[in-house]
Amino acid sequence: MKIAEISSPDHRQGHHDSQFQQQHHLHLVSQIESSIKQAENLSPGKPLPVTISDDLRKYLNQLSQLAPFPNSLKLLVWKLSYRLWNACVDLSNAASIRSRYPSSSSSSRKDSTEEHAKLRHIAADLLAVAGGVSGVPSPVIKSASFYHKTGLIWHELRNFDLASTCFEKATDLVSNFDLNTITDAGERKLLLDLSIARSRTAWEISDQNLAMTLLNRARTLLFGLAEHYKALASQYMMFGKSVLAKSESGGLSEALRLMNEALDLYEKGLHAARTREEMHELKDLRSKTLRFVSAIHLQMGEYESVIKCVKVLRDGDSGEHHHPSLPVLAMKGWLGLGRFMEAEKELRGMVVNKGIPEGVWVSAVEAYFQAAGTAGAETAKGVFLGLLGRCHISASAAVRVAHKVVGDGGSGGEGARVRAKVVAEIVSDERVVALFSGEAAGKQRVAMHALLWNCAADHFRSKDYETSAEIFEKSMLYVPYDSENSILRAKGFRVLCLCHLGLSQLDQAQEYINEAEKLEPNITAAFLKLKIYLQKNDKNSSINQIQAMTTCLDFSLDFLSLAAHEAVACRALTVAVAALSSLLNFYANGKSMPTPEVVVLRALITILTQEPGNELEVFKFVKWAYNRASEVGSDCFFGKGEVGRRERNWFAVTSWNLGTKTGMERNFELCSHFMKLASKFYGFLADSEVEENSIMVCKSLIVTVSAMIASENQKNAALSDSEVKQVIELLDRAGKILKTNSTGTRLNDDQASNIEPDLFFIYTFCAYEIQGRLNDLGSQLVLVKGFASSKVCNPRYLLQIGLRASQGPWPNYEIATFALNECLSALLSSPSPDYQNVALIVRKLIVIASIRKGETDDEALHAMYKQAYRVMVGLKDGEYPIEEGKWLATTAWNRAALPMRLGQIDVGKKWMNTGLELAKQVPSMETCRLSMEDFVGGLGKEFCVQNDGDNRSQLTV
C-alpha cells in the first residue's frame, strides 16, 4: 500500500467535503450559465424579463459566499461574465436600432433599459467575485472598466446611488495602483474618467464640495496628455454652465471661477498637444469658454472685461473673430460703457457678417434699441433693412424687431412719435411685407397686425391722430385681400376715418368710411358718416343719414341718442331735433326702452328753446308730453317719487316760462296755449303740494284767459262761441281755486292780500270782460264792487277797470263812474296824489257824465268842475297837468254859451265864473283870463248880452 493511499478518517471526510463544495460551485455556475443563456436567447423585440436579473443576483450572492475559487472556476466565471456583458451589448444595440422607429411607450423602454443596467451590474460583480485569474491580463482594470461603464448607465438613468456605488467599487479596485507604473493610455484614461464620473455624480446629488474635491484630485491623473486636459476642462465648463443655469445669488462668481479653471486647463492642454487636430479642438473649446467668461462679465456689469475678452478672441488665430456672438457681446459691452458710436459700429458690422444667425442679430437689435432708446431707432431700422438685402429673414424676426422698436406701450412724447415713424418705415418696406405673404406666415401676419394696431391705438388715445392714422394705414398692409378678412379691413377703414375726423380732414375721412361701408355696411359706419356730415355743416345730409341709420340691420336706439349728442356738440340743433324726433317714434305703450320717453321730450324741448323762432315746434312737443302723460298715466310717464315730481315741475315751469316769453313778444295766441298747458302740468303737481301748485294752476288759467282776450283784440276778431264757453270754464275753475285757497275764502277777505294782487285784478278784469259779452250788467257791478272793497285793490287797478268800462266795445258807464270815483277818492286820500291820473279821471268823469245825462244836469257837472278847482287850489305851478287845467277852464267857460243863448243869464254867468276861477289856477292862461274878466265885467252895461253872447262866449285856447 502506498503512503498516499493510507489516510486517516478525517482526511477522507475533508476530501469528501471538498468534492461536495466543488459540486456546489459547479451547480451554481450551471444555474448562472442557464440564466445567461436565457439572456442570450432573448428576442430583441421583446422586453427583458425581470426574473433573469433576479435569478442571477440570487445565484451570485450564493456564489460569493463560497469564495475563494480555484483558478479554473475563476476562469469559468470570467467567461460567463463576458458572455453576459456581450449579451447586454447585443440587446442594447438592438434597442438602439429600434429607438429610431419607436413603437412602444417610453415607460416600457425605460424598464428595459434598467434591466440591461442590472445585468451589466451583475456582470461587473461576477468579475469582482471571481477576482484575479491567471491567464487574463490586467484583470483589475477590466473589472474596474465594467463598473465604470455600468455606473455611466446608471447615471444616465439618474439612479445616482447605484452609479456612485459602481464608481466607488471601481475606484477601490484601482486605488492601490502606482501611477508611475501605469503606461497604458487606456488605463490612464480610465483612471481620469472614473474620477470625473464620480465628480459628476456627486454634483448631481448636490454634493458640490465632493465634486470639486474629486475634480481637483483628477488633476493628478492628467499624465501630461492633451486629451486628459480637454476632458477635465470640459467638465469644469459643464459645471460652470450648470451654475449659470440656476441663476442663484452669488452664482455668477462661482460660474466665473469654474470657467477660468476650464480656461486654464485648455491653455495647458494646448501646450501638451502634439497633433494639429488636438490643437484646433482645444482652441475651439478655449474660445467657447472665453465667450462664456465674456457673457458672465456682461451679466455682472463688468463691461471693460467683456471688451477685453472679445479683443482676445478676435486677436486669436482660430478665426473666431467671425463667431456670431462676438459682435453682440462687443456691442452690449460698449452699450454698458455708454459708448454708443462703437456699439453702433458693431451693430452695423453685423450686416456684412453672413455667418450671424437670425436669432443673434435680432437679439442684438433688441439690445441696442433697449439701451439707446429713441436715438437708436434709425440705426435699428438701417441694420434691419440692410440684413434684408443679404440674407433670408423670417417673418417672426420682423415681428420681434418691430415690437422692440415700438416699445412696451405708452405713446406720450416726441420719442414715441419717432419710434412710430421708424416702425412705419420698416413695416411698409416691400421686402418686409413680402416676408408675410402666404399661408405659412399667417400667424406672424396676425401678430404684426396686432402689434401695429395696438401701437396706433395708443397714439389715438393720446390724441396724436396723425401718427395714429399712419400706423393704422400701415397695419392694413398685413390684412389679406380676401372675403375672410373683409370685416377686419372694414374695421381698419373705420378707425382711419376716426383719425382723419380728429385731424378735421373730412374728405379723407369720408373716403375711408365709404370703403368701410362697401365691405361691411353697419350702424357704426352709418354713424361715422353722420359725424362727417355734421362737421361739414351739411344739415340736410345729416338728417337724411339719421333716417338711413334706422334701416341698418344692427341698428339700436342708442345711436339716435348719440346722434343727438353729436349734433348738439356741432350746434346743428335741427339735426338733433330730427334724431330725437325719430327716437320718439319708437315709443309705444308698455314697450321697454333704454331711455324714458319723458327724458327724450325734455331734451328735445331744451334743444328747441336754444334758438328763437321755434315756439310752435316747442308747443307741439310740450303738448305731446301732456297727451302721453294723459294716455299712460302721470306716474308711468313722469316717474314716481322725487324723480317724477321734478319731471312734472320741469314741464310746468317750462310751459309757464314759454307762455310768459310769447306773451311779452305779443304772441298772445301761443301764450294762451302754453299757459293752458302749464295749468294742466301744475295740475299734476297739485295733489302733492296743494297750496303752492294750486295757486300756479289758478295763475295759469287766469293768464290763459287774459292772453285769449288780448289775442282777440290784436286780431280784431271776436272770440267764437266755443272759445267764449271755454273762457267761462277756465274762469270758473280759477274762481273756485281763489275762493277755496287756504289764504282766504272770499275775494274781499282780509287774508286775500296774501295772494298776489295782480292775480285778483286780472281775474276780475277778465271776468268783467266776459260778463260784458254776455250782457250780464248786474254781475259786472257786483264783481267790480267786490273787488273795490278788497284789500288787494288799489287805484291803479280801479283806473284800468274804469277806463275799460268807459271806452271798451261793451261800455258800462255806471261801472266806469263807480270805478273812477273810487279811484279818485283813493288817489286824493293818499299822502302824495298822482295828479296826472287825477286829471285824467276828472276829465273821464266829466265826459261820462256828459254822455249819460247830456247838458240838463247842470249842477252835477258843475260840482265836478268845482271839485277839480278845489284840488287845484294851493298846488304849485305845474303840479297839476297844465293841459288838463286849460281843458277844464276852457270847457267850463264854453258851457256858458248855451245858457246865455237861451237867456239863462245866471246859469251862463255861473259857468263863466267857474271857468275864470279855473283859469286863474293855470299859469299859462293870463291872456285868456284877462279876456274873461273883461267879458264878465261888461255884462252889466247896456250891451245886449243876448246879441253879444254868440260872439264872445266861445273861448279858444
Side-chain angles (χ1 to χ4, degrees):
M1 179 179 291
K2 297 181 180 179
I3 297 176
E5 294 177 353
I6 302 172
S7 57
S8 66
D10 293 336
H11 175 75
R12 288 195 299 268
Q13 182 64 37
H15 178 71
H16 177 74
D17 291 341
S18 175
Q19 287 181 342
F20 175 78
Q21 187 175 17
Q22 186 176 4
Q23 290 177 358
H24 189 47
H25 287 170
L26 293 175
H27 175 71
L28 289 175
V29 170
S30 177
Q31 294 291 338
I32 292 172
E33 183 178 11
S34 176
S35 296
I36 291 174
K37 283 182 180 181
Q38 292 181 35
E40 290 173 335
N41 294 329
L42 283 174
S43 175
K46 294 182 179 180
L48 193 62
V50 179
T51 56
I52 296 177
S53 60
D54 290 343
D55 291 342
L56 285 172
R57 176 59 63 186
K58 181 180 65 174
Y59 299 145
L60 177 60
N61 291 335
Q62 294 176 3
L63 183 63
S64 62
Q65 296 175 4
L66 301 176
F69 311 118
N71 190 70
S72 60
L73 186 59
K74 289 181 181 180
L75 185 59
L76 182 58
V77 172
W78 271 70
K79 289 179 180 180
L80 292 175
S81 174
Y82 270 84
R83 284 176 60 187
L84 180 59
W85 185 272
N86 291 335
C88 290
V89 171
D90 292 339
L91 291 172
S92 180
N93 292 337
S96 178
I97 293 173
R98 288 199 313 274
S99 64
R100 301 175 189 176
Y101 310 98
S103 58
S104 58
S105 64
S106 58
S107 60
S108 63
R109 287 196 301 270
K110 181 180 178 182
D111 293 340
S112 180
T113 305
E114 288 183 354
E115 287 302 316
H116 291 165
K118 289 179 181 179
L119 292 179
R120 289 177 183 265
H121 202 156
I122 292 170
D125 286 340
L126 282 172
L127 293 184
V129 169
V133 59
S134 58
V136 177
S138 305
V140 175
I141 293 296
K142 288 181 172 58
S143 180
S145 176
F146 272 31
Y147 275 120
H148 174 250
K149 292 176 181 179
T150 304
L152 292 177
I153 295 174
W154 284 123
H155 187 94
E156 289 179 3
L157 293 172
R158 304 196 65 77
N159 192 329
F160 301 119
D161 289 337
L162 291 178
S164 180
T165 300
C166 289
F167 294 143
E168 289 172 359
K169 287 184 177 180
T171 303
D172 289 339
L173 289 172
V174 299
S175 60
N176 296 325
F177 280 18
D178 185 359
L179 299 180
N180 295 325
T181 62
I182 300 176
T183 58
D184 183 75
E187 294 179 1
R188 291 179 173 181
K189 187 66 169 62
L190 176 62
L191 295 178
L192 178 65
D193 291 344
L194 189 57
S195 183
I196 293 175
R198 288 187 64 195
S199 173
R200 189 163 56 245
T201 304
W203 185 273
E204 291 291 346
I205 61 177
S206 300
D207 193 350
Q208 295 185 5
N209 292 330
L210 177 59
M212 297 312 301
T213 300
L214 291 170
L215 277 190
N216 290 329
R217 190 181 300 170
R219 289 175 178 270
T220 62
L221 304 173
L222 297 175
F223 301 104
L225 298 174
E227 184 181 3
H228 289 204
Y229 282 106
K230 184 186 75 172
L232 184 58
S234 297
Q235 191 59 53
Y236 271 107
M237 185 172 68
M238 288 178 62
F239 284 167
K241 290 167 65 176
S242 176
V243 173
L244 281 176
K246 293 180 180 179
S247 301
E248 296 178 349
S249 58
L252 290 177
S253 299
E254 178 64 16
L256 182 61
R257 186 185 68 80
L258 292 170
M259 289 296 178
N260 284 329
E261 292 284 353
L263 191 62
D264 179 63
L265 288 169
Y266 284 132
E267 290 286 351
K268 292 178 179 178
L270 279 172
H271 293 295
R274 296 292 180 265
T275 65
R276 182 175 299 177
E277 291 74 10
E278 287 182 341
M279 294 182 66
H280 181 72
E281 189 176 3
L282 285 168
K283 283 182 179 180
D284 287 346
L285 291 170
R286 181 192 64 177
S287 297
K288 183 178 180 180
T289 307
L290 195 55
R291 290 195 299 273
F292 273 111
V293 170
S294 178
I296 294 171
H297 282 302
L298 186 64
Q299 292 187 53
M300 297 175 70
E302 298 172 353
Y303 302 112
E304 291 184 358
S305 297
V306 174
I307 300 300
K308 289 178 181 178
C309 290
V310 173
K311 188 175 184 301
V312 170
L313 287 167
R314 284 178 171 171
D315 291 342
D317 58 352
S318 62
E320 280 301 313
H321 57 286
H322 295 300
H323 194 276
S325 67
L326 295 187
V328 180
L329 290 170
M331 184 200 70
K332 292 183 177 181
W334 291 124
L335 289 174
L337 294 172
R339 297 171 65 172
F340 295 105
M341 292 184 63
E342 288 84 350
E344 182 178 345
K345 182 179 178 181
E346 294 286 350
L347 186 61
R348 292 189 180 278
M350 296 172 63
V351 176
V352 298
N353 190 343
K354 296 184 178 181
I356 298 178
E358 177 185 282
V360 174
W361 63 256
V362 170
S363 174
V365 170
E366 291 176 340
Y368 179 82
F369 188 79
Q370 185 174 1
T374 302
E378 285 292 337
T379 301
K381 181 193 75 173
V383 171
F384 179 76
L385 297 180
L387 289 165
L388 280 173
R390 72 160 181 83
C391 64
H392 173 73
I393 294 175
S394 67
S396 298
V399 174
R400 284 181 59 186
V401 171
H403 182 271
K404 182 56 65 175
V405 175
V406 168
D408 295 329
S411 56
E414 184 64 25
R417 283 189 288 273
V418 171
R419 294 196 300 271
K421 181 179 179 181
V422 171
V423 82
E425 294 175 0
I426 291 175
V427 300
S428 60
D429 190 282
E430 294 180 356
R431 296 169 296 177
V432 177
V433 176
L435 298 176
F436 293 85
S437 61
E439 296 182 1
K443 184 177 181 181
Q444 290 76 19
R445 186 168 53 245
V446 171
M448 178 63 85
H449 179 269
L451 173 66
L452 296 175
W453 184 279
N454 292 335
C455 174
D458 287 338
H459 286 279
F460 186 88
R461 282 189 287 269
S462 65
K463 301 187 184 302
D464 184 2
Y465 300 121
E466 184 174 359
T467 303
S468 179
E470 183 179 10
I471 302 300
F472 274 129
E473 189 171 357
K474 298 301 183 286
S475 72
M476 298 289 284
L477 296 172
Y478 297 89
V479 181
Y481 288 87
D482 54 31
S483 58
E484 293 181 0
N485 291 279
S486 60
I487 294 177
L488 187 58
R489 292 189 64 79
K491 184 178 179 182
F493 284 130
R494 287 196 295 269
V495 295
L496 281 168
C497 169
L498 285 173
C499 292
H500 287 285
L501 273 173
L503 294 170
S504 298
Q505 297 172 352
L506 303 181
D507 291 337
Q508 293 91 325
Q510 190 163 5
E511 290 177 8
Y512 281 119
I513 201 58
N514 287 339
E515 292 298 321
E517 200 167 32
K518 292 176 184 177
L519 294 170
E520 186 188 14
N522 60 12
I523 185 61
T524 305
F527 181 73
L528 289 176
K529 289 186 75 171
L530 172 66
K531 285 176 67 73
I532 295 170
Y533 290 139
L534 286 172
Q535 293 197 23
K536 284 186 173 183
N537 200 26
D538 188 349
K539 295 181 181 178
N540 291 332
S541 297
S542 298
I543 294 173
N544 293 335
Q545 188 62 27
I546 287 175
Q547 297 305 317
M549 286 169 54
T550 59
T551 63
C552 293
L553 295 177
D554 57 342
F555 167 76
S556 69
L557 296 176
D558 292 334
F559 279 94
L560 288 177
S561 300
L562 288 174
H565 283 293
E566 288 290 333
V568 170
C570 295
R571 300 303 301 167
L573 300 186
T574 55
V575 181
V577 171
L580 293 177
S581 299
S582 297
L583 182 58
L584 282 177
N585 294 330
F586 288 92
Y587 285 84
N589 288 336
K591 186 175 181 180
S592 177
M593 301 291 282
T595 305
E597 186 177 7
V598 66
V599 175
V600 177
L601 281 165
R602 173 160 47 80
L604 193 53
I605 294 168
T606 302
I607 292 170
L608 285 169
T609 54
Q610 292 182 18
E611 289 185 349
N614 293 327
E615 286 78 11
L616 278 174
E617 282 291 307
V618 173
F619 171 71
K620 180 180 77 172
F621 290 110
V622 174
K623 189 175 181 180
W624 184 324
Y626 172 73
N627 291 338
R628 290 289 293 158
S630 301
E631 290 175 10
V632 303
S634 176
D635 288 345
C636 181
F637 182 75
F638 293 110
K640 298 180 180 180
E642 181 63 19
V643 173
R645 188 197 68 79
R646 289 180 180 178
E647 292 289 356
R648 294 180 181 89
N649 188 67
W650 187 90
F651 277 93
V653 171
T654 299
S655 301
W656 174 269
N657 291 339
L658 289 169
T660 303
K661 178 178 179 292
T662 52
M664 294 176 66
E665 295 172 351
R666 303 188 64 77
N667 188 346
F668 299 119
E669 183 179 5
L670 198 54
C671 172
S672 66
H673 293 321
F674 277 120
M675 285 301 179
K676 187 176 180 181
L677 285 174
S679 69
K680 294 178 179 179
F681 283 119
Y682 278 118
F684 287 133
L685 288 163
D687 294 338
S688 58
E689 299 176 17
V690 176
E691 183 175 345
E692 178 182 352
N693 291 296
S694 294
I695 293 175
M696 288 306 300
V697 171
C698 181
K699 289 174 69 174
S700 302
L701 292 170
I702 293 171
V703 176
T704 300
V705 174
S706 176
M708 294 176 70
I709 295 172
S711 176
E712 177 191 41
N713 296 332
Q714 188 181 51
K715 295 179 178 179
N716 290 324
L719 294 173
S720 64
D721 292 341
S722 62
E723 289 175 329
V724 172
K725 184 178 179 181
Q726 182 183 8
V727 167
I728 293 173
E729 292 175 355
L730 295 175
L731 286 174
D732 185 55
R733 286 179 58 198
K736 290 179 181 179
I737 294 173
L738 287 173
K739 291 177 182 179
T740 59
N741 193 271
S742 61
T743 55
T745 58
R746 299 187 311 276
L747 288 176
N748 60 349
D749 192 272
D750 290 341
Q751 300 298 323
S753 58
N754 292 336
I755 299 179
E756 296 180 32
D758 286 346
L759 183 63
F760 284 101
F761 166 68
I762 297 173
Y763 169 78
T764 303
F765 191 89
C766 293
Y768 168 81
E769 281 285 314
I770 297 303
Q771 290 170 358
R773 294 168 191 269
L774 301 176
N775 200 25
D776 190 355
L777 303 182
S779 298
Q780 283 183 308
L781 184 61
V782 173
L783 178 69
V784 173
K785 285 186 177 181
F787 177 72
S789 63
S790 67
K791 287 193 174 184
V792 300
C793 181
N794 61 47
R796 179 168 57 88
Y797 297 150
L798 291 172
L799 177 59
Q800 292 187 54
I801 293 174
L803 293 176
R804 183 65 177 173
S806 65
Q807 60 191 24
W810 299 276
N812 189 328
Y813 296 119
E814 183 180 1
I815 292 177
T817 301
F818 171 77
L820 291 174
N821 280 323
E822 289 292 323
C823 179
L824 182 62
S825 299
L827 288 173
L828 293 176
S829 62
S830 65
S832 55
D834 183 355
Y835 290 105
Q836 188 72 39
N837 285 335
V838 170
L840 175 63
I841 293 170
V842 169
R843 180 189 282 217
K844 284 292 180 182
L845 286 172
I846 292 172
V847 171
I848 291 171
S850 300
I851 294 172
R852 291 183 65 194
K853 299 181 180 181
E855 299 276 341
T856 57
D857 194 355
D858 213 45
E859 291 299 325
L861 282 171
H862 188 264
M864 293 180 188
Y865 280 96
K866 294 297 289 184
Q867 184 181 15
Y869 170 74
R870 287 191 294 271
V871 171
M872 296 172 65
V873 171
L875 296 179
K876 299 177 182 179
D877 292 344
E879 190 170 0
Y880 194 89
I882 294 175
E883 294 300 323
E884 293 297 326
K886 288 180 180 181
W887 183 85
L888 287 171
T890 302
T891 54
W893 179 269
N894 290 338
R895 285 185 182 276
L898 183 60
M900 294 294 290
R901 198 178 284 127
L902 296 175
Q904 298 176 357
I905 303 301
D906 292 337
V907 176
K909 192 173 182 180
K910 178 182 67 172
W911 282 110
M912 288 181 186
N913 289 330
T914 302
L916 181 59
E917 289 175 351
L918 289 168
K920 290 179 181 180
Q921 302 301 321
V922 181
S924 61
M925 294 188 67
E926 288 83 358
T927 304
C928 294
R929 181 171 54 78
L930 292 174
S931 298
M932 290 178 181
E933 289 176 349
D934 291 342
F935 184 81
V936 172
L939 286 177
K941 296 182 181 181
E942 56 188 50
F943 296 102
C944 179
V945 175
Q946 191 171 3
N947 293 333
D948 293 340
D950 293 335
N951 298 323
R952 297 186 181 181
S953 64
Q954 297 296 326
L955 179 66
T956 301
V957 179

